[in-house]
C-alpha cells in the first residue's frame, strides 16, 4: 500500500528555503480559480504545470472553504479528489497533500498515495481525523479558523489575535501528538482569512516571527490571493478599486517573501513560479553575506 512507505516528515522537504505548496482546487466555486480545474485531466495538467514551475508539494482540494461556500458531501468530495491525487502521485514526483476536514476523504486520498492531510479545522470537525493521520504516518497541517466557513467572517473578534491563534495552534499540535501523529509530521498554519478581519490578518503577518518562535513546529502560511490583499491594495498603483482575486499575485508575493523572512517553512500559493523564484533569490543572500 502506498501509505506503508516511510513516515512523512516536514524535514524531508529541505530547509534551505521555504517549500512551495501549489494549490490544485478541484472545485466549481473556489474563490480565485473555481471551475478552472474541475475536470480531472485539467486538474492533473495544472498540478504538473505547478511542479514544472517549482512546486515542492501539491495541495489538492475538493471543497471550497471560502466564506459561505456550499458544503460538499463525502461522496462528491472523494469523486473530485481521488483520481486526481492517484494520477498526480504516479507522475508528479513531489508529495501530494489533500485539503479536507473529513476523515473519509482523507482516508481515500491517503489510499491513493497522498502523504499529507491539510485540515483547515485542525482535526476539530471529524473525531477520526487525527487517529487516521497517526495510523498512516502521514503529515498533518493544523490550521486556525474561528468557527466554521459559514460563519467565520461574521464580525470575528479577538483580544490579542497573535496570542490566541498561537494558543490554539499549540493546543492542536498537542492534540495531534497525543493521537500519535509523529512530532516531525506536524505543521501549523495561522489560517490567514479564516475568521479574521484585514487588521487581524495584518497583525498575524506583522508578528509572524513571534508565532513561529512560539509554536516550535513548521509553520505553513497561505496568503495567496486573499481578500485582505485586495483591501490593502485598493487605490494603490493605479488600481481603481480592490484588485480582483486573479490580480493579487504581486501582493501575494510580497507577503510570501515576508513570511519566509519571518521563518515560515511552507508557502501555500496559486502562483508557484513567482513564489519559487522569489524564495530562491532571497535564500541566496545570507550565503553571499557570509562569504
Ligand atoms: N487557504 C485556503 C484553503 N486551504 N489551507 C491552509 N493550510 N492554509 C490556507 O491558508 C488555506 C488552506 C483557501 O484558499 P483556496 O484553496 O484557493 O480557496 P477555496 O477554499 O475557495 O478553494
Amino acid at each position: 500500500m502506498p501509505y506503508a512507505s516511510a513516515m512523512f516528515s516536514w524535514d524531508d522537504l529541505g530547509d534551505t528555503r521555504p517549500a512551495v505548496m501549489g494549490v490544485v482546487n478541484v472545485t466549481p466555486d473556489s474563490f480565485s480559480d473555481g471551475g478552472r480545474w474541475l475536470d480531472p485531466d485539467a486538474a492533473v495538467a495544472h498540478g504538473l504545470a505547478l511542479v514544472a514551475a517549482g512546486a515542492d508539494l501539491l495541495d489538492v482540494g475538493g471543497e471550497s472553504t471560502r466564506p459561505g461556500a456550499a458544503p460538499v458531501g463525502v461522496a462528491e468530495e472523494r469523486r473530485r479528489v481521488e483520481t486526481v491525487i492517484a494520477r498526480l502521485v504516479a507522475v508528479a514526483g513531489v508529495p501530494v497533500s489533500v485539503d479536507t476536514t473529513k476523515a473519509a476523504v482523507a482516508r481515500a486520498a491517503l489510499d491513493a498515495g497522498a502523504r499529507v492531510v491539510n485540515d483547515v479545522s485542525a482535526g476539530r470537525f471529524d473525531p477520526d481525523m487525527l487517529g487516521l493521520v497517526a495510523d498512516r504516518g502521514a503529515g498533518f497541517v493544523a490550521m486556525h479558523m474561528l468557527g466554521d466557513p459559514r460563519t467565520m467572517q461574521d464580525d470575528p473578534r479577538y483580544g490579542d489575535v497573535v496570542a490566541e491563534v498561537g494558543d490554539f495552534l499549540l493546543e492542536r499540535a498537542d492534540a495531534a501528538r497525543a493521537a500519535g501523529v509523529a512530532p516531525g509530521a506536524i505543521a501549523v498554519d495561522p489560517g490567514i482569512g479564516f475568521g479574521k478581519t484585514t487588521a487581524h490578518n495584518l497583525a498575524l503577518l506583522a508578528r509572524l516571527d513571534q508565532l513561529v518562535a512560539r509554536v516550535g513546529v513548521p509553520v505553513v502560511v497561505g496568503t495567496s490571493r486573499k481578500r485582505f490583499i485586495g483591501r490593502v491594495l485598493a487605490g494603490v498603483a493605479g488600481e481603481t478599486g480592490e484588485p480582483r482575486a486573479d490580480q493579487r499575485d504581486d501582493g501575494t508575493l510580497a507577503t510570501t517573501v515576508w513570511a519566509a523572512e519571518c521563518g515560515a517553512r511552507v508557502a501555500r500559493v496559486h502562483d508557484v513560479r513567482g513564489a519559487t523564484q522569489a524564495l530562491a533569490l532571497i535564500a541566496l543572500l545570507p550565503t553571499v553575506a557570509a562569504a
Side-chain angles (χ1 to χ4, degrees):
M1 302 285 273
Y3 60 80
S5 58
M7 260 207 279
F8 181 86
S9 165
W10 290 101
D11 288 341
D12 298 343
L13 292 176
D15 58 4
T16 52
R17 65 167 175 79
V20 175
M21 178 190 248
V23 180
V24 181
N25 281 324
V26 195
T27 58
D29 56 350
S30 285
F31 77 95
S32 85
D33 57 357
R36 288 191 67 189
W37 327 110
L38 191 54
D39 168 65
D41 289 339
V44 171
H46 182 55
L48 292 179
L50 296 184
V51 173
D56 300 292
L57 74 163
L58 294 175
D59 189 37
V60 179
E63 178 175 42
S64 172
T65 52
R66 76 182 159 75
V72 178
V74 170
E76 173 62 12
E77 195 178 332
R78 272 186 65 168
R79 195 185 63 74
R80 291 182 188 170
V81 299
E82 216 170 325
T83 2
V84 170
I85 289 175
R87 287 174 59 186
L88 285 173
V89 166
V91 294
V94 299
V96 174
S97 77
V98 61
D99 185 347
T100 188
T101 59
K102 302 183 187 80
V105 175
R107 187 176 295 113
L110 295 169
D111 285 346
R115 303 289 314 282
V116 175
V117 177
N118 172 27
D119 182 350
V120 299
S121 83
R124 292 179 297 128
F125 288 1
D126 192 323
D128 295 333
M129 186 63 102
L130 295 178
L132 170 75
V133 173
D135 285 350
R136 300 299 182 91
F140 188 60
V141 181
M143 197 198 78
H144 175 271
M145 165 168 50
L146 198 64
D148 66 59
R150 268 180 312 109
T151 58
M152 63 187 183
Q153 289 306 112
D154 300 346
D155 193 22
R157 285 171 195 244
Y158 302 83
D160 178 337
V161 66
V162 181
E164 287 170 40
V165 168
D167 291 345
F168 174 92
L169 296 178
L170 284 169
E171 187 270 313
R172 297 316 297 163
D174 280 347
R177 275 187 288 268
V181 180
I186 300 168
V188 297
D189 182 329
I192 298 294
F194 285 81
K196 281 123 192 152
T197 62
T198 296
H200 296 141
N201 292 317
L202 293 174
L204 283 164
L205 284 175
R207 292 164 58 201
L208 187 63
D209 56 345
Q210 293 170 21
L211 193 71
V212 167
R214 183 167 173 222
V215 294
V217 297
V219 172
V220 179
V221 176
T223 55
S224 193
R225 299 182 179 169
K226 287 186 178 165
R227 184 75 188 269
F228 81 98
I229 295 175
R231 291 252 160 90
V232 169
L233 296 183
V236 174
E239 297 287 349
T240 43
E242 286 186 24
R244 295 189 319 260
D246 63 352
Q247 299 169 325
R248 298 176 195 155
D249 284 336
D250 295 335
T252 298
L253 195 51
T255 59
T256 300
V257 168
W258 172 265
E261 286 301 282
C262 291
R265 286 273 296 277
V266 180
R268 181 183 183 278
V269 295
H270 301 86
D271 174 21
V272 165
R273 184 170 177 274
T276 306
Q277 291 192 343
L279 294 178
L281 195 58
I282 61 162
L284 190 65
L285 301 180
T287 63
V288 175

